[in-house]
Amino acid sequence: MATTFITHDDCGLHNMGPEHPESPIRLLAIRKVLERTGLIQHMECMESVHVTREQISLAHADLHQKRLEMKLPSEGVFYADEDTALCPDSLHAASLAAGSAILATNRVLAGKTDNAFCAVRPPGHHAEHNAAMGFCFFNNVAIGAMQALEHPSVNRVAVVDFDVHHCNGTVDIFKDRPEVLVCSTFQHPYYPERYTDISRQNIVNCPMPAHSDSKFFRNMVESNWLPALQNHKPDIIFISAGFDAHHEDPMADINLNEEDYRWVTKLLMDVARTYSGGKIVSVLEGGYNPVALAFSVEAHLETLVGY
């Protein structure tokens, strides 16, 4: 398998303060583990590019972009909500994060790589059509998926999300787009408590009670995601790759481990080989214990690479 690894040092410029869990340290930890293990040498490495206003507007209202620009401080931080702060470089980093999803999508659809992983921040899956929240400004995966739908070979897309928090933003953007299947596992009840009870054929919500284990997670994926994916037959699969359901993560209470991320990645690759020509774009979401995050990403990438 050919795997492209996309990141940018400037994603570290987005800084919401030394106590904030969504920290620049996250990407540094990932890079350190990939270099130490040598896995980085088995991937094509590329720098992120900036997203355009037009590409953002594929998934977001123009007012959403303008509102964020108006809130951007010249110094210090400005809180868009109680969890989500902007510093002077936040939208620069967010543009690179969303642009990496565009770059990954274009390379996969052009046949230049089999799959791609975007090690970027800020994350995106809580960003709704017209709202920033939950550490997220632009919905990176949704922007990538909308870009894919612009391609003449793509009629159906799947977005799968194994972050511990529900992908309310992705659901908001695609709830009335039946050509996009959205599958999500998430701790419930838990943040953000939005769109968890929505009823749409293309939305597959799989809530998990606190302290759910590997067996419960795998059963939810096999019983709910797999038949939905087989029925949808996506032309490309997008992964919102959040690793905060790891048992060592401080942000929630689900008990997954690196082998679960390896397992679900392999399952999605099998689906992609059957229906999508192997086409996968994966974008980092959560994961707030830097060590657990780095080794979980390593397991995810080893599987994408074909180890």
Side-chain angles (χ1 to χ4, degrees):
M1 300 293 293
T3 298
T4 300
F5 180 82
I6 301 172
T7 192
H8 201 290
D9 289 345
D10 283 3
C11 286
L13 297 178
H14 169 57
N15 194 331
M16 293 181 282
E19 304 301 320
H20 202 287
E22 208 289 278
S23 161
I25 293 171
R26 300 174 64 230
L27 297 188
L28 295 175
I30 291 170
R31 187 80 185 204
K32 184 175 182 179
V33 165
L34 297 182
E35 289 176 349
R36 181 176 294 177
T37 62
L39 182 57
I40 196 78
Q41 299 173 17
H42 296 274
M43 298 182 287
E44 174 194 38
C45 296
M46 299 188 70
E47 279 198 335
S48 308
V49 298
H50 282 286
V51 72
T52 67
R53 296 186 69 86
E54 292 74 19
Q55 289 164 340
I56 295 172
S57 69
L58 293 171
H60 292 288
D62 289 341
L63 181 61
H64 174 66
Q65 300 182 56
K66 294 174 183 176
R67 188 185 296 118
L68 287 173
E69 289 165 355
M70 290 174 63
K71 292 177 178 178
L72 192 70
S74 58
E75 60 182 30
V77 297
F78 177 89
Y79 274 83
D81 67 20
E82 62 183 13
D83 301 308
T84 313
L86 294 104
C87 74
D89 293 306
S90 292
L91 294 187
H92 173 71
S95 174
L96 289 168
S100 70
I102 294 284
L103 176 61
T105 300
N106 288 341
R107 289 190 67 78
V108 168
L109 289 176
K112 295 180 179 179
T113 189
D114 295 308
N115 54 60
F117 178 76
C118 303
V120 292
R121 53 179 295 279
H125 72 153
H126 292 310
E128 298 184 354
H129 176 67
N130 199 24
M133 59 183 291
F135 312 165
C136 303
F137 302 106
F138 303 135
N139 195 312
N140 307 319
V141 158
I143 291 169
M146 290 296 289
Q147 175 76 5
L149 288 168
E150 299 281 298
H151 196 276
S153 70
V154 176
N155 297 307
R156 295 173 306 280
V157 168
V159 180
V160 298
D161 188 315
F162 48 72
D163 190 279
V164 82
H165 303 97
H166 183 237
C167 56
N168 62 290
T170 310
V171 172
D172 178 58
I173 291 165
F174 293 124
K175 61 184 184 295
D176 297 316
R177 298 291 300 260
E179 68 272 33
V180 181
L181 174 70
V182 180
C183 300
S184 177
T185 52
F186 53 94
Q187 182 173 326
H188 181 74
Y190 203 49
Y191 182 90
E193 293 297 343
R194 293 169 65 85
Y195 292 115
T196 57
D197 58 353
I198 190 172
S199 179
R200 296 285 198 285
Q201 189 171 358
N202 66 314
I203 306 298
V204 181
N205 283 337
C206 298
M208 301 193 299
H211 311 298
S212 294
D213 60 8
S214 300
K215 182 178 179 181
F216 190 95
F217 168 73
R218 295 186 186 202
N219 181 64
M220 293 294 275
V221 170
E222 288 183 327
S223 301
N224 297 278
W225 288 16
L226 192 54
L229 288 162
Q230 292 168 337
N231 182 64
H232 193 68
K233 299 178 175 59
D235 297 309
I236 183 171
I237 295 175
F238 288 82
I239 303 175
S240 271
F243 299 96
D244 42 4
H246 193 283
H247 67 94
E248 293 181 359
D249 197 280
M251 292 286 283
D253 300 292
I254 301 297
N255 296 316
L256 303 189
N257 58 54
E258 291 88 343
E259 292 309 308
D260 295 312
Y261 297 122
R262 195 184 305 275
W263 173 85
V264 73
T265 306
K266 183 178 184 303
L267 180 144
L268 294 171
M269 290 179 69
D270 289 342
V271 173
R273 276 191 289 266
T274 300
Y275 301 109
S276 317
K279 300 181 185 69
I280 291 177
V281 172
S282 180
V283 183
L284 181 66
E285 299 286 359
Y288 304 102
N289 176 317
V291 175
L293 169 65
F295 284 106
S296 296
V297 169
E298 181 196 22
H300 181 57
L301 283 171
E302 282 184 342
T303 312
L304 289 175
V305 169
Y307 272 26

